[in-house]
Amino acid sequence: TGSERVGEVGHVGQIGTGKCVENIMKMEVTEQDLWIVTYPRSGTTWTQELTWNIRHGVDVEMSKTVDIDTKYFFLDMDYIKHLLLSTDVVDAANQALGQDRNLKTHLPFSLLPKNLTEKAKVIYVG
């Protein structure tokens, strides 16, 4: 265990999280991406469901059958669980490049790709 500073600002994270953050910061961002950036417990799931339905023609019945973790790439999973198990959410999101990607994170903007707000659609809930 222990901690390390990650990102340019020097956020404190568990040892080993630096590589996860680096992978997120290096992600390629496209105009097709929709990113939801929120604080935890601030209406993230509600925002995800609302925007997913808008992007899919408000098909409420289909929305009920698709799991929230299938609808959105939760990038923090690689960051949160790096010591507990091997996750590949960022890799999966990178493989979906060029498609309409839905991504969510609770990380601060300083730990996200630099050109995020210039290219992608970003919904910030603060």
Side-chain angles (χ1 to χ4, degrees), residues 12 22 26 32 34 46 55 65 91 96 108 122-123:
V12 176
E22 184 179 315
K26 288 182 178 180
Q32 294 171 281
L34 171 65
W46 181 84
R55 288 187 102 178
T65 65
D91 288 339
V122 178
I123 298 173

Side-chain angles (χ1 to χ4, degrees), residues 38-95:
T38 67
Y39 290 102
R41 312 286 308 155
S42 65
T44 309
T45 302
W46 181 84
T47 305
Q48 286 177 260
E49 290 294 345
L50 180 70
T51 55
W52 189 89
N53 269 290
I54 290 170
R55 288 187 102 178
H56 291 86
V58 193
D59 188 340
V60 177
E61 291 308 312
M62 185 168 88
S63 179
K64 291 177 184 177
T65 65
V66 180
D67 186 69
I68 193 80
D69 292 325
T70 303
K71 295 174 183 176
Y72 279 80
F73 294 104
F74 184 22
L75 302 177
D76 302 21
M77 292 309 293
D78 288 357
Y79 179 85
I80 294 168
K81 295 191 173 183
H82 75 281
L83 294 176
L84 303 176
L85 57 103
S86 176
T87 59
D88 57 356
V89 177
V90 174
D91 288 339
N94 285 332
Q95 290 174 12

Side-chain angles (χ1 to χ4, degrees), residues 2-56:
S3 62
E4 67 178 337
R5 297 217 174 254
V6 297
E8 293 177 7
V9 177
H11 294 279
V12 176
Q14 288 181 323
I15 290 177
T17 56
K19 182 65 175 164
C20 298
V21 169
E22 184 179 315
N23 290 339
I24 292 170
M25 292 177 74
K26 288 182 178 180
M27 286 182 70
E28 188 173 340
V29 177
T30 73
E31 292 82 9
Q32 294 171 281
D33 292 345
L34 171 65
W35 288 62
I36 294 180
V37 181
T38 67
Y39 290 102
R41 312 286 308 155
S42 65
T44 309
T45 302
W46 181 84
T47 305
Q48 286 177 260
E49 290 294 345
L50 180 70
T51 55
W52 189 89
N53 269 290
I54 290 170
R55 288 187 102 178
H56 291 86

